[in-house]
Amino acid sequence: QVQLVESGGGLVQPGGSLRLSCAASGNIFSMNVMGWFRQAPGKQRELVATVTNGGSTNYADSVQDRFTISLDNAKNTVSLQMNSLKPEDTAAYYCYAYLATVGWPRRWSNYWGQGTQVTVSS
């Protein structure tokens, strides 16, 4: 079993900052990608940012230059530093991982956290 546990959501004023963290645990053999998606009410889930175990990052245009994603390979932990937050960043944020579990044959699968709410409002 693999679990992704998120932390760090909350309420913040426009222009403020928040830091999200997500720790993956369980019978993990190898991590390939971790990242964050978000879903606002009435909208589809969308990519926020991803990072590979090699350090390559990818950001949605809407968060480029405001958000920074980082990965601690040793701890299987991904963090998202969110600065200059806007009301339109309000959403449930979901941690994502693409990884292989221990065992043979090797199985690579997508995993999701339970979500953490970020609300940007004055």
Side-chain angles (χ1 to χ4, degrees):
Q1 293 287 348
V2 173
Q3 285 188 318
L4 303 183
V5 179
E6 302 129 331
S7 61
L11 172 65
V12 64
Q13 292 186 342
S17 299
L18 279 176
R19 185 177 180 85
L20 305 182
S21 292
C22 172
S25 63
N27 56 337
I28 299 169
F29 174 77
S30 180
M31 182 77 69
N32 183 255
V33 179
M34 290 193 79
W36 294 91
F37 287 69
R38 67 186 182 188
Q39 188 168 18
K43 294 188 176 181
Q44 290 189 332
R45 189 172 296 190
E46 63 177 6
L47 169 76
V48 176
T50 59
V51 58
T52 69
N53 59 4
S56 297
T57 59
N58 181 45
Y59 294 93
D61 289 343
S62 60
V63 307
Q64 188 78 43
D65 298 327
R66 297 189 297 124
F67 291 8
T68 302
I69 192 169
S70 58
L71 177 66
D72 185 332
N73 279 307
K75 297 181 179 180
N76 288 328
T77 298
V78 64
S79 297
L80 185 70
Q81 178 65 41
M82 305 185 292
N83 298 329
S84 303
L85 282 161
K86 304 175 181 179
E88 51 262 44
D89 294 317
T90 296
Y93 283 69
Y94 295 89
C95 179
Y96 163 81
Y98 180 64
L99 57 84
T101 50
V102 173
W104 194 262
R106 199 70 69 210
R107 288 189 173 88
W108 291 86
S109 301
N110 297 311
Y111 292 88
W112 295 92
Q114 79 284 359
T116 185
Q117 181 66 34
V118 172
T119 302
V120 185
S121 175
S122 55

